Amino acid sequence: DTGAVAPLRVVNTSSDRPTRDLPALVHEGKFKALTELVPGPNRLLLRAGAHELALTLDFRPQTNPRVVRVFYLTDSGGDTTYQTTIENDPQDFAAKLDTAFKLFQCFTAETLNDAGMGRATFNLEFTARGRVDVHVHKGERTAEAYYALEDGAWWSCMYEEIRRALPHATAKDVAIPAYTRFDPAARRVRGHT
């Protein structure tokens, strides 16, 4: 026995998504793992070398009417391209936001649990396939016109545009602009929330 630990993977055999097989972190005999759940029963396999452990988690999305909605904002030209340092980035904003908001949900649940309040989290809007529903909102102005607004004025402008386009009395909206850009000359991020 060398004491070496075999790499641990979590495989969701109920999923056909690219995230169905993910590595886990193992340290000093303990592990932390993420897996993307699909609606309904999720048959998971924890695999480490020749060892396997099967378990099933039943994912039932929340049904309460209070939701967090995700908006991806474009300027009036409709360009969804975002600034990135990743060469040949596929520009898949919906997949990135899906992952980010599911991680926010997980972080919220674990933080509340650590504080002794149980694993509770916020409700997100999901598509029928269990992806975060990212609403693309084509803005009324050019990116330059949005850049000219002070941060608070930009927020008020976007709030009104979203309220008019897709009102929802029990929603909290998170607005992420595609046209956010770092301006190195001004040392400032333009068009951000």
Side-chain angles (χ1 to χ4, degrees), residues 39-139:
N42 288 259
R43 287 173 292 290
L44 306 179
L45 287 175
L46 301 178
R47 287 186 177 148
H51 303 284
E52 279 189 359
L53 175 67
L55 65 127
T56 300
L57 295 176
D58 189 28
F59 173 51
R60 287 173 273 154
Q62 294 184 42
T63 57
N64 75 72
R66 300 195 182 285
V67 295
V68 172
R69 299 188 305 174
V70 179
F71 282 85
Y72 190 65
L73 312 175
T74 73
D75 70 353
S76 58
D79 183 12
T80 61
T81 306
Y82 52 85
Q83 186 177 34
T84 179
T85 59
I86 301 170
E87 192 174 327
N88 300 318
D89 189 311
Q91 294 286 321
D92 190 348
F93 64 86
K96 287 183 184 241
L97 293 172
D98 176 75
T99 299
F101 279 88
K102 287 174 179 173
L103 288 172
F104 289 153
Q105 270 192 324
C106 182
F107 174 79
T108 300
E110 292 304 315
T111 301
L112 289 173
N113 189 59
D114 290 348
M117 300 196 288
R119 284 186 175 89
T121 193
F122 54 91
N123 188 16
L124 284 166
E125 281 188 321
F126 287 105
T127 66
R129 290 202 22 92
R131 307 297 284 190
V132 172
D133 193 358
V134 178
H135 301 277
V136 178
H137 173 74
K138 185 175 179 181

Side-chain angles (χ1 to χ4, degrees), residues 3-19:
V5 176
L8 178 67
R9 302 197 69 78
V10 180
V11 181
N12 186 344
T13 64
S14 302
S15 175
D16 62 357
R17 296 180 182 169
T19 57

